[in-house]
């Protein structure tokens, strides 16, 4: 049976068909749906781990035990998990172990554009790159056999376009495999220097064998067309190259991009007139070809920045601009924004007028950096708000500057990697204030469970980690819990923070406006145009439901409004009424 | 390559573009085409600009397209139609929902919602224009405006002979089935 699946859904299907029994991840666009689609299979234990390092270690532990396992994450998630990943190349595995990295060329929903193909080379771990959903599924199977045959982790690299686009997949049945026997083997699994030095040598021996495998594997194959142009490519770039050049070129399609098949590459290059490398982001393949002494075109024709598409490839090869329709008016920008009724909005509104530095984090609340709220100074990576803020505060203190520092972080991100930063603040006598925006869910990636929500990925009830108690246990005594939708409470807590020299945590709590299982406001707010003074203060909330109509009256769109009442609370003329 | 058709659905998050795309792709797969589909959206869950690209034919390579290559665009919102016009082939066709949703810069007074979008687009390409929200409301539910637009698209690309009623019935909740089928037929009529 054939079904139209996204690459992520196909990876999940592969995990099922090829006998994986343990899978772990932390949600991150574009990788999130892999675990979401594994979760319904009863045959597979699947969890949201608090962060990617934990996820990778859980899956690695399961592989050591003898089970086939998988850990999935977005590209920057692999930075978090890099520490155990590098050493897993030394220990090898027992049951198969697959690390999925979903890179985000074009930064659709990411803070950087790193090309994780270099991680494979850096960590000396074989890497496979599927180019459509069918391959996403099949390559899970290939990765499983490589992992078990060569005793190594295998990286499966997807990109946003592979993860999120749909193409047809032929479904198969599950291969039930029993666990490999586990035996204690400290020389293999305990990487004290004495053991690691032996493993280091074995790692190089394994790479030699993998290189031979890469030469012969059908994962790397030639598709002959016109031999004037020879294109070497991998992943989604293969599809763009084929789309644009059709049979007017020959292709070396690389499905295994580490280790690379040098002999096959040389053979292909020798049979075509000119060699072109079509790859997204970095010149990973091009550098390798040049090191082999092969003359080729690559980044001189195909940009190094951003996501590719057929138009860009056509411009690179054929030098032609597409014919488009020209219009004389321009659309206004439509930037992403916090949803109507979002509980983060009031906190940023309260912060926006304060003389303070606000360090931010990764989540929906990163949008608090945008106009009109503009209440954020930094955003680096998961968890960085807390430790960044501590650094700001220590620098101010040491240099005699009296300036308050706030850090804002979501509940899920706090569990991910904010906790260690908070411990640092408490232990090293910092006095910044951390605001945990607790909306009871991992919202930005589309509502995944986290240790605060009380449910596992499989939907089983579990306990809810208590944020206030965690903060207390870390040594923070001044902890205030407020309702995010009650501006008076929020402002009182922020004022307390402005005036204290203690380290402080404000837990601003209200459910994500899209979260169905929690009680939501159920009203509609309305502006009385006779009372409204047109001051525009309510517009400063940046709520998508409030806008100026053609007659210049400020109105509230009743379809979008959920009656959170923040606009009513900020209105100084009592012009807004909310009916329940 | 030339037999491959490319379609764009563009709108604002929350308007139902994804459901419409799903119905469309299911119908195309059932009809035996090779199909690829790609959703392109940014960070926000609601209110941001979203687009879906659908490609079908005998053999499809790329799941996305470049500018100037779409055979048809369905704009669920006027300004989004304007934003994506340069993806349309010069002889392509556009279905436009006569509906305006201001974006944040417009709401806070930093930008103006442009006037005359529909006139401008209609002077450059072949268009089918109607107020899908109005039509949907007359059927009894604003939410079926996406299927009204889908019906119009199906007429425009000449695929009305596929089993759309059956596909729609499978993809929408049973109690909204009749409304959605009515919406589909209204869309067909409006594009005729």
């Amino acid at each position: 049976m054939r079904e139209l699946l996204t690459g992520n859904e196909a990876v999940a299907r592969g995990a099922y068909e090829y006998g994986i029994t343990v899978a772990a991840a932390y949600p991150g666009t574009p990788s999130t749906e892999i675990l979401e689609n594994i979760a319904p299979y009863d045959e597979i234990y699947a969890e949201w781990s608090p962060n990617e390092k934990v996820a990778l270690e859980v899956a690695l532990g399961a592989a050591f035990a003898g089970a086939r396992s998988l850990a999935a994450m977005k590209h920057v998630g692999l930075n978090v998990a890099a520490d155990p990943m590098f050493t897993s190349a030394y220990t090898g595995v027992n049951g198969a172990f697959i690390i999925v990295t979903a890179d985000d060329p074009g930064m659709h929903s990411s803070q950087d554009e790193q090309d994780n193909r270099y991680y494979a080379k850096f960590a000396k771990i074989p890497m496979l790159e599927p180019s459509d959903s069918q391959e996403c599924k099949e390559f899970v199977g290939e990765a499983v056999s490589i992992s078990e045959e060569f005793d190594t982790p295998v990286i499966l690299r997807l990109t946003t376009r592979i993860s999120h686009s749909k193409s047809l997949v032929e479904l198969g049945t599950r291969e039930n495999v029993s666990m490999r026997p586990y035996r204690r083997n400290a020389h293999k699994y305990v990487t004290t220097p004495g053991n690691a030095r032996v493993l280091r040598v074995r790692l190089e021996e394994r790479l030699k064998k993998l290189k031979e495998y890469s030469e012969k594997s059908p994962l790397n194959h030639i598709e002959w067309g016109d031999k004037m142009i020879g294109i070497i490519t991998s992943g989604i770039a293969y599809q763009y190259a084929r789309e644009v050049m059709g049979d007017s070129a020959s292709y070396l399609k690389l499905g295994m991009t580490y280790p690379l098949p040098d002999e096959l590459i040389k053979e292909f290059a020798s049979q075509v007139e000119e060699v072109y490398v079509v790859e997204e982001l970095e010149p990973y393949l091009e550098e390798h070809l040049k090191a082999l002494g092969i003359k080729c075109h690559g980044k001189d024709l195909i940009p190094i920045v951003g996501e590719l598409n057929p138009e860009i490839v056509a411009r690179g090869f054929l030098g032609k601009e597409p014919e488009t329709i020209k219009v004389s008016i321009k659309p206004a920008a439509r930037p992403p924004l916090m949803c109507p009724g979002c509980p983060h909005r009031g906190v940023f509104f309260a912060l926006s007028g304060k003389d303070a530095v606000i360090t931010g984090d990764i989540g929906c609340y990163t949008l608090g950096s945008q106009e009109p709220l503009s209440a954020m100074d930094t955003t680096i990576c998961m968890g960085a708000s807390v430790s960044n803020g501590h650094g700001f505060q220590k620098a101010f203190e040491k240099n005699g500057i009296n300036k308050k520092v706030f850090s804002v972080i979501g509940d899920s991100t706090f569990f991910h990697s904010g906790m260690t930063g908070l411990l640092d603040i408490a232990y090293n006598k910092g006095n910044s204030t951390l605001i945990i925006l607790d909306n009871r869910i991992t919202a930005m990636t589309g509502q995944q469970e986290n240790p605060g929500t009380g449910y596992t990925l499989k939907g089983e009830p579990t306990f809810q980690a208590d944020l206030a108690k965690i903060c207390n246990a870390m040594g923070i005594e001044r902890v205030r819990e407020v309702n995010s939708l009650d501006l008076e409470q929020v402002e009182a807590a922020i004022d307390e923070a402005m005036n204290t020299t203690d380290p402080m945590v404000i837990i601003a709590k209200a459910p994500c406006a899209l979260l169905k299982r929690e009680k939501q406001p159920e009203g509609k707010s309305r502006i009385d145009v006779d009372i409204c003074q047109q001051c525009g203060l309510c517009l400063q909330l940046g709520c998508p439901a409030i806008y100026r109509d053609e007659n210049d009256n400020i109105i509230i769109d009743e379809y979008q409004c959920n009656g959170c009442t923040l606009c009513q609370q900020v209105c100084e003329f009592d012009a807004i009424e909310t009916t329940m | 390559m030339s037999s491959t058709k490319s379609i764009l659905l563009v709108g604002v998050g929350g308007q139902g573009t994804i459901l419409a795309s799903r119905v469309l792709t299911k119908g195309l797969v059932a009809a035996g085409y090779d199909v690829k589909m790609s959703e392109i959206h940014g960070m926000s869950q609601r209110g941001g600009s979203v687009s879906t690209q659908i490609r079908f034919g005998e053999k499809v390579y790329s799941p996305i397209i470049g500018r100037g290559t779409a055979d048809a665009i369905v704009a669920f919102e006027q300004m989004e139609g304007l934003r994506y016009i340069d993806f349309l082939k010069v002889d392509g066709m556009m279905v436009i929902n006569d509906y305006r949703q201001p974006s944040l810069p417009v709401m806070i007074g930093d930008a103006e919602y442009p006037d005359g979008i529909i006139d401008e687009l209609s002077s450059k390409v072949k268009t089918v224009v109607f107020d899908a929200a109005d039509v949907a409301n007359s059927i009894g539910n604003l939410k079926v405006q996406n299927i009204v637009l889908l019906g119009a698209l199906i007429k425009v690309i000449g695929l009305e002979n596929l089993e759309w009623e059956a596909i729609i019935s499978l993809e929408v909740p049973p109690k909204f089935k009749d409304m959605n089928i009515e919406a589909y037929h209204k869309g067909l009529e409006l594009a005729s």
Side-chain angles (χ1 to χ4, degrees):
Chain A
M1 195 180 68
R2 290 198 313 166
E3 246 190 81
L4 201 58
L5 300 182
T6 64
N8 284 350
E9 289 165 345
V11 169
R13 182 70 197 181
Y16 169 75
E17 289 185 14
Y18 297 105
I20 278 168
T21 57
V22 174
Y26 179 81
T29 309
S31 70
T32 312
E33 300 83 3
I34 297 172
L35 262 281
E36 287 184 331
N37 285 285
I38 286 178
Y41 293 117
D42 291 338
E43 295 85 348
I44 307 176
Y45 168 78
E47 70 166 42
W48 289 131
S49 307
N51 66 34
E52 295 85 356
K53 177 175 185 288
V54 175
L56 190 142
E57 288 160 348
V58 167
L60 180 61
F64 286 164
R68 289 182 175 176
S69 71
L70 175 150
M73 58 208 71
K74 69 181 294 178
H75 61 316
V76 288
L78 195 51
N79 301 334
V80 179
D83 195 0
M85 179 182 75
F86 276 72
T87 305
S88 74
Y90 282 50
T91 61
V93 298
N94 179 16
F97 174 44
I98 303 171
I99 301 162
V100 185
T101 168
D103 296 5
D104 190 14
M107 296 174 282
H108 296 276
S109 190
S110 303
Q111 63 270 40
D112 71 31
E113 195 173 49
Q114 71 191 39
D115 187 334
N116 279 4
R117 291 180 298 175
Y118 288 107
Y119 260 126
K121 190 176 178 183
F122 190 6
K124 298 176 182 279
I125 293 175
M127 179 172 62
L128 308 185
E129 281 190 83
S131 73
D132 62 15
S133 298
Q134 178 68 33
E135 287 187 351
C136 280
K137 191 197 84 168
E138 285 171 6
F139 283 20
V140 171
E142 298 288 347
V144 162
S145 38
I146 292 170
S147 181
E148 291 182 353
E149 182 181 344
F150 295 92
D151 188 17
T152 176
V154 176
I155 298 175
L156 185 67
R157 178 185 183 248
L158 315 180
T159 54
T160 300
R161 201 55 51 210
I162 297 289
S163 283
H164 283 174
S165 65
K166 291 190 180 191
S167 60
L168 288 164
V169 177
E170 185 71 45
L171 302 186
T173 53
R174 180 169 167 92
E175 172 191 345
N176 277 309
V177 282
S178 45
M179 257 177 89
R180 293 183 162 207
Y182 170 71
R183 265 179 310 151
R184 177 179 282 179
N185 182 353
H187 294 298
K188 178 169 163 61
Y189 298 125
V190 181
T191 51
T192 48
N195 290 335
R197 285 184 199 112
V198 178
L199 295 170
R200 173 80 184 87
V201 176
R202 279 198 202 143
L203 178 53
E204 294 303 323
E205 289 164 2
R206 176 207 290 155
L207 280 177
K208 269 189 205 143
K209 289 181 192 147
L210 280 163
K211 200 150 187 100
E212 287 163 23
Y213 179 89
S214 184
E215 296 286 357
K216 291 188 219 101
S217 168
L219 290 167
N220 298 322
H221 65 263
I222 295 168
E223 295 170 9
W224 290 116
D226 193 313
K227 291 191 176 176
M228 288 296 283
I229 294 175
I231 297 174
I232 299 182
T233 183
S234 70
I236 194 69
Y238 160 77
Q239 305 288 0
Y240 302 150
R242 280 239 52 155
E243 178 80 35
V244 170
M245 300 305 289
D247 292 332
S248 67
S250 294
Y251 304 86
L252 171 55
K253 179 184 179 303
L254 299 169
M256 184 169 189
T257 41
Y258 188 77
L260 284 162
D262 294 350
E263 297 309 317
L264 182 65
I265 290 170
K266 285 184 208 158
E267 164 74 16
F268 178 75
S270 71
Q271 295 201 38
V272 294
E273 286 292 315
E274 278 203 275
V275 178
Y276 292 80
V277 178
V278 181
E279 59 189 325
E280 215 167 37
L281 299 180
E282 300 299 316
Y284 170 83
L285 300 173
E286 184 181 347
E287 283 170 352
H288 190 84
L289 260 66
K290 287 184 171 158
L292 289 175
I294 297 169
K295 269 195 198 156
C296 62
H297 291 285
K299 291 297 160 190
D300 53 336
L301 300 175
I302 306 285
I304 195 167
V305 176
E307 186 179 22
L308 292 186
N309 63 33
E311 179 188 336
I312 295 170
V313 174
R315 189 180 301 129
F317 272 99
L318 314 168
K320 66 176 184 196
E321 280 297 317
E323 197 185 344
T324 58
I325 297 149
K326 302 278 179 284
V327 286
S328 58
I329 43 178
K330 277 202 158 57
R334 194 182 295 278
L337 34 79
M338 286 185 253
C339 302
C342 175
H344 301 334
R345 181 170 281 115
V347 176
F348 284 109
F349 182 80
L351 283 171
S352 62
K354 296 286 181 280
D355 178 26
V357 165
I358 303 155
T359 54
D361 223 293
I362 307 290
C364 296
Y365 43 88
T366 312
L367 297 168
S369 64
Q370 295 192 332
E371 288 185 6
L373 295 161
S374 310
M376 199 172 284
D377 292 83
T378 63
T379 303
I380 304 299
C381 65
M382 299 281 287
S385 64
V386 192
S387 10
N388 260 183
H390 181 57
F392 262 99
Q393 184 264 316
K394 285 292 177 189
F396 287 151
E397 183 182 280
K398 200 70 194 165
N399 293 285
I401 295 165
N402 182 23
K403 193 159 178 106
K404 189 71 196 174
V405 179
F406 288 91
S407 300
V408 288
I409 194 167
D411 46 342
S412 188
T413 314
F414 178 71
F415 294 124
H416 177 283
S417 50
M419 295 202 294
T420 42
L422 185 62
L423 187 61
D424 188 32
I425 290 170
Y427 188 74
N428 285 312
K429 302 175 183 181
N431 71 3
S432 56
T433 292
L434 175 65
I435 303 178
I436 304 177
L437 298 161
D438 180 12
N439 63 1
R440 312 312 301 159
I441 203 74
T442 311
M444 185 172 171
T445 40
Q447 307 210 342
Q448 289 75 34
E449 309 296 347
N450 68 55
T453 67
Y455 293 92
T456 69
L457 169 58
K458 294 269 193 179
E460 293 159 356
T462 178
F463 83 105
Q464 294 187 325
D466 187 322
L467 285 170
K469 279 189 189 161
I470 290 170
C471 298
N472 288 147
M474 286 185 161
I476 307 289
E477 281 168 24
R478 201 181 281 269
V479 177
R480 300 286 177 265
E481 288 186 270
V482 298
N483 176 354
S484 310
L485 294 178
D486 185 333
L487 266 186
E488 222 168 284
Q489 279 186 33
V490 172
E491 273 164 1
I494 288 174
D495 285 343
E496 181 185 341
M498 291 297 290
N499 295 313
T500 184
T501 51
D502 296 341
M504 180 169 167
V505 173
I506 300 168
I507 301 169
K509 206 165 159 172
C512 166
L514 303 181
L515 186 55
K516 293 207 170 83
R517 69 170 173 241
E518 298 266 347
K519 190 171 163 16
Q520 293 285 352
E522 280 177 346
K524 296 284 172 203
S525 297
R526 205 182 59 84
I527 297 175
D528 187 328
V529 285
D530 295 332
I531 305 174
C532 176
Q533 301 294 305
Q534 302 290 336
C535 72
L537 191 57
C538 56
L539 290 171
Q540 293 306 308
L541 284 165
C543 176
I546 311 174
Y547 60 96
R548 248 180 232 282
D549 68 7
E550 292 89 358
N551 308 320
D552 250 12
N553 287 320
I554 301 173
I555 57 164
I556 297 173
D557 177 353
E558 66 169 307
Y559 287 111
Q560 297 199 59
C561 177
N562 75 343
C564 77
T565 75
L566 283 175
C567 54
Q568 186 177 340
Q569 294 174 57
V570 303
C571 180
E572 290 168 355
F573 303 100
D574 289 331
I576 303 179
E577 201 180 47
T578 304
T579 49
M580 291 295 160
Chain B
M1 195 166 73
S2 57
S3 68
T4 305
K5 295 264 183 220
S6 303
I7 294 171
L8 246 69
L9 279 74
V10 303
V12 180
Q15 283 193 299
T17 53
I18 306 291
L19 176 70
S21 316
R22 196 163 67 220
V23 171
L24 182 61
T25 53
K26 292 253 170 162
L28 294 167
V29 172
Y33 290 106
D34 185 18
V35 181
K36 286 191 177 177
M37 169 197 174
S38 192
E39 289 167 22
I40 299 177
H41 44 86
M43 286 170 72
S44 58
Q45 299 287 343
R46 290 285 184 276
S49 174
V50 295
S51 72
T52 305
Q53 303 199 354
I54 293 150
R55 309 195 67 223
F56 66 99
E58 206 173 306
K59 168 74 186 160
V60 181
Y61 287 103
S62 168
I64 56 170
I65 61 168
R67 292 177 304 148
T69 61
D71 296 279
I73 292 182
V74 185
F76 281 57
E77 198 273 348
Q78 287 186 23
M79 196 165 72
E80 295 312 305
L82 184 63
R83 193 183 315 283
Y84 287 93
I85 182 69
D86 59 356
F87 275 80
L88 196 63
K89 274 185 187 162
V90 285
D91 58 349
M93 181 86 181
M94 203 167 201
V95 176
I96 310 174
N97 188 6
D98 189 359
Y99 166 78
R100 294 156 59 114
Q101 185 171 323
S103 64
L104 190 76
V106 174
M107 285 184 230
I108 62 174
D110 276 0
E112 295 238 338
Y113 194 103
D115 280 323
I117 292 177
I118 288 182
D119 288 345
E120 175 74 8
L121 294 178
S122 300
S123 73
K124 307 279 175 157
V125 292
K126 281 176 279 178
T127 53
V128 172
V129 184
F130 53 84
D131 184 336
D134 223 32
V135 179
N137 275 327
S138 75
I139 294 168
N141 192 334
L142 176 71
K143 286 191 171 171
V144 302
Q145 64 171 322
N146 58 349
I147 303 298
V148 180
L149 290 161
L150 178 70
L153 169 73
I154 285 166
K155 181 75 194 175
V156 163
I157 56 176
L159 284 174
E160 63 269 33
N161 53 347
L162 303 184
E163 301 294 322
W164 296 108
E165 286 194 18
I167 307 268
I168 290 167
S169 304
L170 285 173
E171 290 301 312
V172 304
K175 65 172 173 175
F176 297 118
K177 189 185 109 179
D178 294 342
M179 274 186 190
N180 277 287
I181 288 177
E182 192 184 339
Y184 159 68
H185 285 289
K186 276 270 166 32
L188 281 185
E189 275 169 39
L190 287 162
S192 296

